[in-house]
Amino acid sequence: MIEIKELTKTYGRMDAVRDVTFTAEPGRVTGLLGMNGSGKSTTLRILLGLTRATGGSALINGKRYRDLDRPLTHVGAVLEQGLSHPGQSGYAHLVTQSLLGGVGRDRVGALLEYVGLEDAATKRTGDYSLGMRQRLAVATALLGEPNVLVLDEPANGLDPPGMAWLREMLRAHADNGGTVLISSHLLAELEQVVDDVVIIGQGRILASAPLAELSGTARLRVRGSDQTRLAEAYEKAGATVVPANDLLIVSGLTPEEAGDLALAVQVAVYELMAETQHLEDVFLSVAEGR
Ligand SMILES: Nc1ncnc2c1ncn2[C@@H]1O[C@H](COP(=O)(O)OP(=O)(O)OP(=O)(O)O)[C@@H](O)[C@H]1O
């Protein structure tokens, strides 16, 4: 569980983040979205004890990072810059990190396999591609079997199979009861994995809600055998109906309600489409609306 409360960080007279409050719950993947310079990295760096807050709190499993006993067993982090020594092999890097973190090195082999680096285990990390470095960073984050994962732009440099692998890994972690907080500007990618969305702009929270709630079913497009009868039935049920060519644009009904009402007035439905908003649209409308 991650709890960020009234977090503020000022640099001189500039607010990098101001009164940021949100939680990332166990069993869910929470996406932190924001444009460049909106305060995502600052929030994550404070959470991970790398930057000191000016005010407020950022807690992992109820504690500040620096108060955690063996932090690697609570939280694993993937930050923007990889932190491996270029002359070290992936295997040596993971062994070093497990020793530094006070966690057993017995998982190193299995983790290299899990992230798909078993064939590159003895290769210098300096010769790794960006995607391989990201995979190594994920393996490092998982060393202490933490229940909380924090990832800052982890999809950078990953190819499509790498992205799919990352999504599956994050989903599995959350489905096993873990907490995942991931920042990204790759909205289409994020949309496929997040349950909850936190949108940050100029250091302030602009929106925070489950993805399903934010993207909601905005409108339905319906075509039936008798549009007039259908429109009357929908309006009687409290919906707003606007005819557009051979379609009815309907707001205020679920697809199930629209189908059931059509059945009740004996109108055959030829087309019924729910228009959901993509995360990108949600993000733009929230970011521009303030
Ligand atoms: N050490 C620092 N000194 C001064 N200003 C800083 C420092 N770190 C961050 N900032 C400023 O704080 C604001 C938020 O930066 P932050 O890196 O958190 O944004 P971000 O959302 O992570 O951006 P990006 O997507 O580009 O990584 C920016 O205006 C940035 O210039």
Side-chain angles (χ1 to χ4, degrees):
M1 171 93 162
I2 293 172
E3 294 161 285
I4 311 273
K5 206 161 169 216
E6 289 165 19
L7 196 68
T8 294
K9 174 70 185 178
T10 52
Y11 288 107
R13 259 186 273 154
M14 210 236 1
D15 290 336
V17 294
R18 163 66 59 187
D19 285 333
V20 162
T21 299
F22 68 91
T23 57
E25 308 276 345
R28 299 181 72 81
V29 178
T30 303
L32 183 60
L33 305 187
M35 299 195 199
N36 291 131
S38 55
K40 303 182 298 292
S41 300
T42 303
T43 304
L44 299 186
R45 289 179 61 82
I46 294 171
L47 181 66
L48 296 167
L50 298 168
T51 298
R52 196 178 269 270
T54 310
S57 62
L59 306 181
I60 294 170
N61 295 337
K63 289 186 174 169
R64 286 180 305 186
Y65 185 90
R66 71 178 117 129
D67 296 329
L68 290 171
D69 177 35
R70 294 200 305 150
L72 289 197
T73 63
H74 291 275
V75 56
V78 177
L79 297 180
E80 261 180 299
Q81 304 87 6
L83 24 83
S84 60
H85 186 286
Q88 246 186 351
S89 69
Y91 179 83
H93 167 78
L94 288 178
V95 170
T96 311
Q97 293 303 314
S98 56
L99 291 174
L100 288 174
V103 295
R105 52 189 281 184
D106 42 318
R107 280 167 46 79
V108 169
L111 277 175
L112 282 164
E113 202 174 310
Y114 183 58
V115 301
L117 284 178
E118 65 273 38
D119 292 338
T122 55
K123 208 167 150 177
R124 285 162 33 100
T125 61
D127 295 334
Y128 278 14
S129 66
L130 190 52
M132 288 161 84
R133 280 204 283 278
Q134 290 291 50
R135 286 169 183 262
L136 184 64
V138 170
T140 311
L142 294 172
L143 271 174
E145 295 188 71
N147 60 12
V148 176
L149 283 181
V150 176
L151 307 98
D152 198 4
E153 301 278 354
N156 275 353
L158 288 180
D159 53 14
M163 298 262 204
W165 165 79
L166 182 70
R167 278 200 305 268
E168 272 169 40
M169 197 274 294
L170 298 179
R171 185 75 265 153
H173 190 81
D175 287 349
N176 283 328
T179 302
V180 179
L181 178 60
I182 173 173
S183 89
S184 183
H185 63 274
L186 299 173
L187 303 183
E189 274 306 315
L190 211 57
E191 184 165 31
Q192 298 185 47
V193 70
V194 296
D195 302 302
D196 296 321
V197 179
V198 178
I199 299 179
I200 185 169
Q202 296 183 337
R204 292 169 189 269
I205 297 293
L206 301 179
S208 168
L211 176 64
E213 203 175 288
L214 276 183
S215 50
T217 301
R219 299 188 306 183
L220 302 175
R221 296 152 69 89
V222 191
R223 186 163 66 86
S225 58
D226 186 336
Q227 300 287 74
T228 314
R229 194 133 48 97
L230 206 50
E232 276 171 14
Y234 290 164
E235 279 171 349
K236 227 164 133 189
T240 308
V241 182
V242 180
N245 300 326
D246 56 344
L247 287 168
L248 298 178
I249 310 291
V250 183
S251 316
L253 292 180
T254 64
E256 289 79 6
E257 288 166 341
D260 289 347
L261 282 166
L263 182 66
V265 295
Q266 297 205 307
V267 172
V269 172
Y270 302 142
E271 203 175 327
L272 196 162
M273 207 167 73
E275 288 180 356
T276 51
Q277 276 187 295
H278 284 292
L279 193 48
E280 193 156 4
D281 305 324
V282 172
F283 176 74
L284 288 175
S285 64
V286 169
E288 283 167 4
R290 304 288 167 107

